[in-house]
């Protein structure tokens, strides 16, 4: 699933992985267990060995949850601003499958940033570019085009992530997703 979060190819992931393994603690999360809940102060980040996490934001008016992202094995998981700045988290991060991650204190990350001053800027820029592109896609692409774009980028995602979770990520209902899939299959 290496193409889901393309920012990972643009950062020094090896240094971050090594940091997590050296200073972190290997933790196991059961499916459905939360790494972070909205409102928590959680000064940690993690490297995913196995499993999948989803980022979930809650629309309190609609009383509805929306998936805003996923993190896969070989990637990092954190509420980045909350991790770095000690802020309260604005999202929930939940295990979508049984997962093993190395959880590392954010102070180790900020120490690395202090040693390699450009790495923080590059990491933040890459996260911003990915987020900005996704934001624009909500306006410039139809739900069907967003679905096809996701499948082109990550052809194996349907084997790893339940359809209702993908529908939420695309900001469509599962019913709308079924219509799009039916159209793709039967023209």
């Amino acid at each position: 699933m290496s193409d889901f979060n393309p920012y990972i190819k643009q950062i020094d992931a090896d240094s971050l992985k090594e940091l997590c393994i050296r200073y972190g603690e290997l933790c196991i999360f059961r499916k459905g267990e939360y790494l972070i809940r909205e409102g928590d102060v959680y000064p940690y980040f993690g490297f995913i060995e196995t499993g999948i996490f989803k980022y979930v934001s809650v629309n309190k008016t609609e009383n509805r949850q929306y998936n805003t992202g996923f993190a896969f094995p070989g990637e990092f998981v954190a509420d980045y601003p909350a991790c770095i700045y000690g802020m309260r988290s604005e999202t929930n991060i939940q295990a979508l499958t049984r997962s093993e991650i190395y959880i590392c204190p954010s102070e180790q990350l900020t120490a690395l940033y202090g040693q390699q001053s450009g790495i923080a800027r590059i990491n933040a820029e890459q996260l911003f570019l990915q987020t900005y592109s996704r934001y624009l896609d909500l306006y410039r692409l139809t739900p069907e085009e967003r679905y096809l774009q996701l499948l082109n980028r990550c052809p194996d995602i349907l084997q790893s992530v339940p359809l209702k979770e993908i529908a939420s990520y695309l900001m469509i209902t599962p019913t709308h997703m079924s219509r799009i899939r039916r159209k793709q299959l039967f023209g």
Side-chain angles (χ1 to χ4, degrees), residues 4 27 29 33-34 39 53 57 59 65-67 71-72 91 101 105 107 121 145 154 156 159 161 181:
F4 186 83
C27 296
F29 287 81
E33 193 172 353
Y34 286 86
F53 283 83
S57 292
N59 181 312
Q65 295 183 355
Y66 290 97
N67 292 341
F72 297 95
T91 192
I101 67 171
E107 58 204 29
R121 183 184 54 76
E145 290 169 329
C154 306
D156 298 334
Q159 285 74 45
V161 178
R181 288 175 45 84

Side-chain angles (χ1 to χ4, degrees), residues 34-146:
Y34 286 86
L35 172 66
I36 302 171
R37 288 185 183 266
E38 182 179 345
D40 287 352
V41 175
Y42 192 77
Y44 300 92
F45 72 106
F47 174 76
I48 303 172
E49 275 289 321
T50 63
I52 302 170
F53 283 83
K54 65 179 180 176
Y55 291 76
V56 179
S57 292
V58 178
N59 181 312
K60 290 178 174 72
T61 303
E62 296 176 350
N63 193 28
R64 186 170 174 191
Q65 295 183 355
Y66 290 97
N67 292 341
T68 58
F70 299 99
F72 297 95
E75 295 182 349
F76 302 92
V77 61
D79 180 343
Y80 189 77
C83 166
I84 296 298
Y85 301 112
M87 301 165 36
R88 293 192 181 281
S89 179
E90 293 192 49
T91 192
N92 298 289
I93 301 176
Q94 186 179 23
L96 194 56
T97 63
R98 182 188 179 282
S99 304
E100 297 179 7
I101 67 171
Y102 285 94
I103 296 178
C104 185
S106 60
E107 58 204 29
Q108 295 296 330
L109 184 59
T110 54
L112 176 67
Y113 286 172
Q115 295 168 2
Q116 301 175 12
S117 59
I119 195 171
R121 183 184 54 76
I122 291 168
N123 291 353
E125 285 175 0
Q126 291 305 314
L127 284 170
F128 171 77
L129 291 171
Q130 180 175 318
T131 303
Y132 185 62
S133 180
R134 179 155 187 261
Y135 170 75
L136 292 176
D137 286 349
L138 291 173
Y139 293 96
R140 63 185 173 198
L141 300 176
T142 66
E144 183 174 359
E145 290 169 329
R146 292 195 311 268

